[in-house]
Amino acid sequence: MRSTVTRSAVVAALVTAGILPAHAADLIDPPVIEYEDPAPAIGGWYLRGYLGMTNQNFKGLDYEYFNAPGWEQTWPDKGGFGSSPLFGAGVGYQVNHWLRGELTAEYRGKASFSALDRVTEIADPTNVMTNEYSAKKSEWLLLASVYADLGNFHGIVPYVGAGIGASRNTISHFNDANVMAGGGGYAGTGSQWDLAWALHAGLGYELNERATVDFGYSFVHLGDGKTGQAHNYDPAFSRPNSGFKFKDLYSHDVKVGLRYKLN
């Protein structure tokens, strides 16, 4: 009887010994494998849209019959332009954290122009005439620009850049009123393409991973502008000519816009 009990105890002990390791293994937590998130993509395409205001100027008005022999011409008001709105859009590519490029097309609305000259006969200084000039000017501007982003300061990214392209400059509604002589003239609308270049600076503010608000400034040189052929109010006094030339148009522009990443 005692031997039977002993054998039973031994068998129970062996069975228990075989079972316990299995239960102990089940109580050990499986190893945790940690995966690092992939680094965000640096490069990528983005779209850009913006609007702003121009602050325009030029180097002077020219005409082939200015400074006629026997007459002295002076400029009490050499002329200037009013501000005008601008609207632009384009596509860009972010090469890395520091470098990006853009292609943009921009319409610059009609800016009012005015100027005043005085013409005095040298032989008779009492013979004086004035000409009050007025016109409108607008452009289509195409630019390829490169930008350097200068670091990210809590979502604020300052930048500088430069661009080159072409501007189609249009002069319209040109009028010359000679009040003192009771005469004057006008010129037809003229448009021409010219080389354009720009310098840029600004700040980008990152709203999220895709959208950035852009506050920018640009100095833009637009080339020259030209009217169509000029005519006297009295056709009997009209002479062949190539129109009035606006030399070295340039502008200080301020803009606000949005850049949106596509990937």
Side-chain angles (χ1 to χ4, degrees), residues 193-210:
W193 286 99
D194 210 339
L195 177 70
W197 56 270
L199 300 175
H200 311 291
L203 295 172
Y205 177 70
E206 296 178 344
L207 297 177
N208 52 48
E209 292 182 354
R210 289 186 178 270

Side-chain angles (χ1 to χ4, degrees), residues 136-214:
K136 300 283 187 181
K137 180 178 71 68
S138 61
E139 300 90 23
W140 278 100
L141 177 63
L142 306 177
L143 281 180
S145 299
V146 176
Y147 294 90
D149 291 330
L150 305 179
N152 191 320
F153 304 91
H154 304 286
I156 298 175
V157 182
Y159 64 82
V160 294
I164 191 167
S167 179
R168 183 169 176 80
N169 305 321
T170 298
I171 308 295
S172 60
H173 302 92
F174 186 90
N175 189 67
D176 169 11
N178 189 332
V179 177
M180 298 178 71
Y186 63 95
T189 298
S191 297
Q192 67 177 42
W193 286 99
D194 210 339
L195 177 70
W197 56 270
L199 300 175
H200 311 291
L203 295 172
Y205 177 70
E206 296 178 344
L207 297 177
N208 52 48
E209 292 182 354
R210 289 186 178 270
T212 299
V213 178
D214 191 308

Side-chain angles (χ1 to χ4, degrees), residues 69-227:
W71 297 84
E72 180 184 23
Q73 183 182 27
T74 58
W75 293 88
D77 180 1
K78 291 185 177 180
F81 296 92
S83 295
S84 68
L86 63 84
F87 310 91
V91 61
Y93 187 80
Q94 186 83 40
V95 179
N96 52 42
H97 290 305
W98 307 100
L99 183 66
R100 56 190 172 88
E102 283 184 1
L103 296 174
T104 55
E106 179 178 298
Y107 176 72
R108 305 164 62 85
K110 290 183 178 180
S112 298
F113 171 80
S114 62
L116 174 68
D117 75 354
R118 179 184 292 114
V119 182
T120 304
E121 186 178 6
I122 296 174
D124 181 8
T126 62
N127 186 11
V128 179
M129 295 179 291
T130 61
N131 295 281
E132 298 179 11
Y133 302 100
S134 62
K136 300 283 187 181
K137 180 178 71 68
S138 61
E139 300 90 23
W140 278 100
L141 177 63
L142 306 177
L143 281 180
S145 299
V146 176
Y147 294 90
D149 291 330
L150 305 179
N152 191 320
F153 304 91
H154 304 286
I156 298 175
V157 182
Y159 64 82
V160 294
I164 191 167
S167 179
R168 183 169 176 80
N169 305 321
T170 298
I171 308 295
S172 60
H173 302 92
F174 186 90
N175 189 67
D176 169 11
N178 189 332
V179 177
M180 298 178 71
Y186 63 95
T189 298
S191 297
Q192 67 177 42
W193 286 99
D194 210 339
L195 177 70
W197 56 270
L199 300 175
H200 311 291
L203 295 172
Y205 177 70
E206 296 178 344
L207 297 177
N208 52 48
E209 292 182 354
R210 289 186 178 270
T212 299
V213 178
D214 191 308
F215 303 93
Y217 160 82
S218 296
F219 172 84
V220 185
H221 190 279
L222 301 161
D224 298 330
K226 198 173 184 181
T227 72

Side-chain angles (χ1 to χ4, degrees), residues 33-48:
I33 302 175
E34 296 183 356
Y35 295 93
E36 294 184 0
D37 293 334
I42 296 176
W45 294 98
Y46 64 88
L47 299 177
R48 181 186 176 202

Side-chain angles (χ1 to χ4, degrees), residues 52-56 82-86 108-109 111 139 251-254:
M53 293 296 293
T54 70
N55 182 15
Q56 307 185 60
S83 295
S84 68
L86 63 84
R108 305 164 62 85
E139 300 90 23
S251 182
H252 300 273
D253 300 340
V254 290

